[in-house]
């Protein structure tokens, strides 16, 4: 078996790295191919079409194409391959200064009519030391726009530190079981519309949210992985302690 280490790619320019440092996010266009994403979308549906569903993916039959799939990278080799995407690995190494490891993944279906998630900072839910976490949010649809519930970001808020979070105010728009950033005017968020294969990288302290999918027949599927630097560790969350290397 060949265990020769191969250095990560360097897909980001200095300007792009500076943009991330200043704004807390960066949108990388066409980071994954359409063919790969189409195959992965089909694969994810096949997982929950099995009878019986695998225990790790199991849910109520009525929700099998709506309830997000948690941590598929822990159980499924195709999910791990996307988690290890060469562009993602390389960009994270540039932004972190060292190799990244994955600690969480989620596949979102977000069918028409489904709510979004209120403004929040990922660090509130996944504390890690030292603080190094970056999300890679990949668009799995031809178009993810305001109508289908794209992400909204608040540039520069990653410099504010961790803010208080409290009860969600608008449960018609947002999932009620999450919590919402307090103490800042979140109306200044801007939408990030994306196309299939685009990857949005963002800091664990960036305030971001999504709104309800208001389309009649369009889904907003996405694959989202959370990464920390290889010398960092997740605190408090036993379910997210395992580190998955990208090489």
């Amino acid at each position: 078996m060949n265990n020769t280490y191969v250095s990560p790619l360097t897909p980001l320019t200095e300007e792009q790295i500076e943009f991330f440092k200043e704004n807390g996010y960066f949108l990388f266009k066409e980071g994954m191919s359409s063919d790969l994403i189409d195959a992965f979308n089909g694969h994810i549906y096949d997982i929950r079409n099995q009878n019986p569903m695998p225990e790790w993916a199991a849910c109520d039959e009525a929700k099998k194409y709506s309830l997000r799939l948690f941590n598929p990278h822990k159980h499924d080799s195709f999910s791990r391959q996307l988690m290890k995407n060469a562009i993602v690995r390389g960009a994270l190494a540039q932004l972190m200064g060292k190799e990244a490891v994955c600690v969480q993944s989620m596949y979102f279906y977000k069918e028409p009519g489904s709510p979004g998630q209120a403004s929040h900072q990922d660090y509130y839910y996944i504390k890690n030391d030292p603080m190094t976490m970056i999300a890679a949010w990949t668009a799995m649809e031809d178009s993810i726009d305001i109508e289908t519930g794209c992400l909204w970001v608040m540039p520069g808020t990653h410099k504010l530190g961790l803010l208080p979070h409290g009860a969600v105010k608008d449960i018609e728009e947002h999932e009620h079981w999450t919590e919402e950033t307090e103490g800042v005017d979140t109306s200044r968020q801007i939408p990030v519309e994306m196309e299939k294969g685009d990857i949005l990288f963002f800091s664990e302290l960036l305030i971001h949210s999504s709104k309800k999918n208001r389309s009649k027949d369009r889904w907003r599927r996405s694959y989202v992985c959370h990464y920390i630097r290889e010398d960092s560790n997740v605190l408090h969350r036993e379910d997210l302690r395992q580190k998955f290397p990208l090489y």
Side-chain angles (χ1 to χ4, degrees):
M1 184 175 176
N2 184 2
N3 290 321
T4 305
Y5 175 80
V6 178
S7 296
L9 303 177
T10 53
L12 302 183
T13 65
E14 285 302 320
E15 290 78 15
Q16 291 168 339
I17 294 169
E18 282 306 310
F19 184 94
F20 182 92
K21 288 178 180 176
E22 187 61 30
N23 294 281
Y25 72 97
F26 176 74
L27 179 61
F28 192 101
K29 299 294 291 180
E30 297 180 10
M32 295 191 197
S33 72
S34 289
D35 288 351
L36 177 63
I37 286 174
D38 291 345
F40 187 61
N41 282 336
H43 174 74
I44 290 293
Y45 277 74
D46 288 343
I47 288 173
R48 280 208 168 138
N49 262 335
Q50 294 177 57
N51 188 13
M53 285 184 223
E55 187 176 339
W56 65 269
C59 66
D60 186 278
E61 183 73 18
K63 295 182 177 180
K64 69 179 184 177
Y65 302 138
S66 59
L67 186 68
R68 74 186 71 170
L69 195 60
F70 276 104
N71 290 324
H73 76 285
K74 288 187 173 182
H75 312 276
D76 175 61
S77 60
F78 199 167
S79 300
R80 276 194 298 280
Q81 286 306 112
L82 260 69
M83 172 207 87
K84 295 180 178 184
N85 174 269
I87 296 292
V88 170
R89 178 192 170 202
L92 291 172
Q94 288 181 279
L95 295 172
M96 293 181 180
K98 285 185 178 180
E99 291 273 10
V101 292
C102 183
V103 293
Q104 178 175 259
S105 65
M106 294 179 287
Y107 182 94
F108 289 88
Y109 296 88
K110 195 157 184 178
E111 75 278 15
S114 59
Q117 187 168 355
S119 300
H120 66 284
Q121 296 167 299
D122 287 345
Y123 183 76
Y124 178 77
Y125 295 104
I126 309 176
K127 294 179 174 62
N128 58 101
D129 182 39
M131 292 174 62
T132 58
M133 191 168 68
I134 294 174
W137 199 106
T138 304
M140 313 297 282
E141 303 283 357
D142 288 336
S143 177
I144 291 180
D145 50 32
I146 292 173
E147 184 185 45
T148 59
C150 68
L151 283 195
W152 292 64
V153 300
M154 200 167 173
T157 48
H158 64 303
K159 298 178 180 179
L160 298 178
L162 180 64
L163 298 174
H165 286 58
V168 171
K169 300 177 187 67
D170 187 350
I171 58 172
E172 167 61 25
E173 188 76 40
H174 300 125
E175 294 172 329
H176 64 84
W177 56 271
T178 60
E179 295 190 65
E180 183 170 358
T181 307
E182 296 180 335
V184 66
D185 178 13
T186 55
S187 68
R188 294 192 295 113
Q189 289 184 82
I190 58 173
V192 182
E193 295 189 311
M194 300 170 66
E195 297 172 307
K196 187 187 286 186
D198 292 354
I199 306 170
L200 182 69
F201 295 94
F202 57 93
S203 162
E204 62 192 331
L205 288 176
L206 181 77
I207 295 173
H208 62 287
S209 65
S210 61
K211 296 185 179 180
K212 189 174 185 175
N213 183 346
R214 288 185 159 75
S215 73
K216 292 198 167 41
D217 57 6
R218 294 194 298 137
W219 295 54
R220 193 226 64 182
R221 292 171 295 181
S222 59
Y223 187 50
V224 188
C225 294
H226 288 93
Y227 303 86
I228 59 176
R229 206 171 62 199
E230 61 184 355
D231 60 340
S232 181
N233 292 289
V234 170
L235 308 174
H236 316 306
R237 293 282 302 270
E238 291 295 334
D239 58 322
L240 302 181
R241 287 278 173 86
Q242 189 176 0
K243 299 176 179 181
F244 287 79
L246 309 190
Y247 56 86

